[in-house]
Amino acid sequence: MLEQPINIQSGKCYSVVGVGMGVTQVDIQLVMQPGPMMPPVVMAQSPTRGVNAVLGGKLSGCFKNPMPVGGPGKVVLHAQGAGLVGAQVYIK
């Protein structure tokens, strides 16, 4: 599992592309921490299967934060198998 903190802004549109080499499965989650002492909430996750994962994008559209304010969040990559995994976050 790999985590990268990001600031999830209100009104912005997010897409995340993940790629693995040597692994059998890559999954991506966009997680938000709604407030202190509250559990993290999975806002979106990749529907694709295999070594390439896309959260948002042409098929499902980008993830748009539905909350009126932004806040701290993170991109979480889950990989099965052994190998290299990387991801890129796109914001517009």
Side-chain angles (χ1 to χ4, degrees):
M1 183 169 63
L2 177 73
E3 297 181 0
Q4 178 64 46
I6 64 169
N7 184 31
I8 300 175
Q9 302 173 37
S10 177
K12 295 290 184 177
C13 207
Y14 293 84
S15 295
V16 184
V17 177
V19 177
M21 289 180 57
V23 296
T24 58
Q25 176 72 31
V26 176
D27 295 308
I28 304 171
Q29 292 181 327
L30 187 59
V31 179
M32 190 165 190
Q33 182 69 45
M37 306 299 290
M38 296 181 74
V41 176
V42 176
M43 302 297 284
Q45 60 186 26
S46 59
T48 55
R49 292 281 180 229
V51 297
N52 299 325
V54 178
L55 183 152
K58 290 183 180 181
L59 293 179
S60 60
C62 61
F63 166 77
K64 191 166 184 178
N65 183 5
M67 301 175 77
V69 295
K74 59 186 170 183
V75 174
V76 180
L77 296 178
H78 295 274
Q80 295 176 1
L84 301 172
V85 178
Q88 175 69 44
V89 178
Y90 297 94
I91 305 169
K92 67 176 183 175

